[in-house]
Amino acid sequence: MKRREFLVGAAISATAAWAAPLRAVLAQDAVKRKTRLILLGTKGGPRVGGEGRKNPSTLLLINGVPYVVDCGYGTSQHLVRAGVPLNSVRNFFITHHHSDHNLEYGSVIYNGWATGLRTRVDAWGPPGLEKMTRAFFDYMQFDIDTRMDDEGRPDLRKLVFAHDFDKPGVVMQNEDVKVTAARVRHPPIEHAYAFRFDTADRSIVISGDTNYSPELIELARDADVLVHEILYMPGLEKLLSRVPNAAKLKEHIVASHTVPEDVGRVAAAAGVKTVVLTHFVPGDDPSITDEQWAEGVRKHFGGRIVVGKDLMEI
């Protein structure tokens, strides 16, 4: 009997030893299948430098595939810091053509090519994206041609397909995700858009730059997560005291961005579960606390509020 018990125990131990790696693989697969949301850069505006937040960009990993929304300065570096190989990004979405949202669009693609990209890349954005893509390749023509000859790389210009769109609706769909755009209110830019990503397990909406927008409310209806930009007026006054074009800049910022109370109103009207704050204006003032960013939102929205940070995963 003892001999039999020993054999059974040994078999169980062997099975457990064999099953542990399998469980680890299955767990990794489950994580891979889950839709992940990672904030890359969370500071609004084109200013660079300093130790705080970097310029805007948001990453979704859907079934392990990266989707990048906006490419502010520093996106390449933050993708690397997030553990995403640059040559693995296949899908880009640009909300509008302000430099803090598209300045590194061409560079991220190029940096992927420099690290081994050999397959197709697609990008979607407002009118002008196709022209911008061609212009970037013209700008980099000498380097691309030289590296093709010297290093045996494929022609990057034949790998990238840019798609302009000029009206709301579904802009992209595959077996993993449906991406829908809604025009938002960011004067004087006519073609400024928010995006909604519907996957098997989550619905995530990214506002882009906008003032209070009924169109965004409809796009975000019943979403799991609304990633929304935010403007903190007391901080803006402090920022304006440091710049020579204060009056004109204030007029633009107030007309084009959303104060905390209106972020709360949008989230409540849409019925979203979680609001993630990003694109902070001003985004380089460390004296503004998380509570100050969230306080006005909480006045009108009773769900979960996350004050975003660079490289935070929600």
Side-chain angles (χ1 to χ4, degrees):
M1 177 65 84
K2 288 183 180 179
R3 172 68 175 169
R4 182 174 179 275
E5 288 173 353
F6 171 79
L7 291 174
V8 170
I12 292 173
S13 297
T15 301
W18 170 82
L22 176 60
R23 285 196 297 271
V25 170
L26 293 175
Q28 290 174 357
D29 286 345
V31 170
K32 182 178 178 181
R33 288 194 299 271
K34 180 182 177 182
T35 300
R36 300 171 60 193
L37 169 64
I38 300 174
L39 306 178
L40 298 177
T42 59
K43 176 173 69 174
R47 291 163 57 94
V48 297
E51 296 300 319
R53 306 174 187 277
K54 306 304 181 185
N55 302 102
S57 184
T58 305
L59 168 69
L60 286 85
L61 289 164
I62 303 171
N63 277 351
V65 177
Y67 296 72
V68 174
V69 181
D70 287 334
C71 295
Y73 186 75
T75 299
S76 293
Q77 197 171 50
H78 268 164
L79 281 167
V80 172
R81 291 180 65 189
V84 176
L86 295 175
N87 58 22
S88 70
V89 184
R90 301 288 182 271
N91 304 281
F92 292 86
F93 298 84
I94 303 297
T95 59
H96 66 291
H97 290 309
H98 259 156
S99 62
D100 54 325
H101 295 260
N102 67 19
L103 189 62
E104 207 170 311
Y105 157 67
S107 298
V108 176
I109 296 173
Y110 175 89
N111 290 336
W113 181 70
T115 54
L117 175 70
R118 304 186 71 87
T119 54
R120 174 175 175 139
V121 172
D122 287 273
W124 291 265
L129 185 65
E130 295 174 14
K131 180 180 179 181
M132 180 185 301
T133 306
R134 292 193 302 270
F136 177 79
F137 290 146
D138 289 343
Y139 163 59
M140 295 299 295
Q141 178 181 351
F142 178 84
D143 182 273
I144 293 171
D145 289 343
T146 301
R147 294 188 187 280
M148 287 171 60
D149 290 340
D150 286 354
E151 302 173 13
R153 299 184 185 279
D155 190 340
L156 178 60
R157 293 159 292 203
K158 295 181 179 180
L159 299 180
V160 181
F161 296 83
H163 312 276
D164 287 5
F165 64 88
D166 61 1
K167 59 184 179 181
V170 176
V171 297
M172 179 267 196
Q173 186 168 5
N174 59 29
E175 64 273 14
D176 294 324
V177 61
K178 179 172 74 172
V179 184
T180 308
R183 190 175 295 178
V184 291
R185 304 188 181 193
H186 188 52
I189 297 178
E190 177 184 359
H191 290 287
Y193 293 89
F195 292 112
R196 177 175 178 135
F197 292 76
D198 285 295
T199 73
D201 63 316
R202 299 175 87 180
S203 52
I204 298 171
V205 177
I206 299 172
S207 74
D209 284 9
T210 184
N211 203 314
Y212 178 90
S213 174
E215 296 84 357
L216 177 59
I217 293 173
E218 289 307 311
L219 181 72
R221 187 74 64 188
D222 298 323
D224 294 300
V225 180
L226 171 60
V227 182
H228 203 298
E229 66 124 78
I230 190 165
L231 163 64
Y232 184 64
M233 287 300 297
L236 175 61
E237 297 298 338
K238 184 177 177 181
L239 168 67
L240 294 172
S241 69
R242 308 197 304 264
V243 299
N245 55 328
K248 189 66 176 177
L249 181 60
K250 180 177 180 179
E251 179 183 340
H252 162 71
I253 289 177
V254 172
S256 303
H257 299 284
T258 311
V259 297
E261 290 77 9
D262 280 345
V263 174
R265 291 185 180 99
V266 168
V272 303
K273 298 178 178 65
T274 297
V275 168
V276 178
L277 304 178
T278 190
H279 194 282
F280 295 90
V281 180
D284 54 2
D285 185 346
S287 70
I288 305 173
T289 67
D290 287 1
E291 175 56 29
Q292 286 173 311
W293 286 115
E295 181 182 13
V297 182
R298 195 178 297 113
K299 291 178 181 178
H300 301 281
F301 176 66
R304 180 188 180 205
I305 302 169
V306 178
V307 179
K309 305 285 193 305
D310 288 13
L311 297 176
M312 174 186 282
E313 178 168 357
I314 295 92

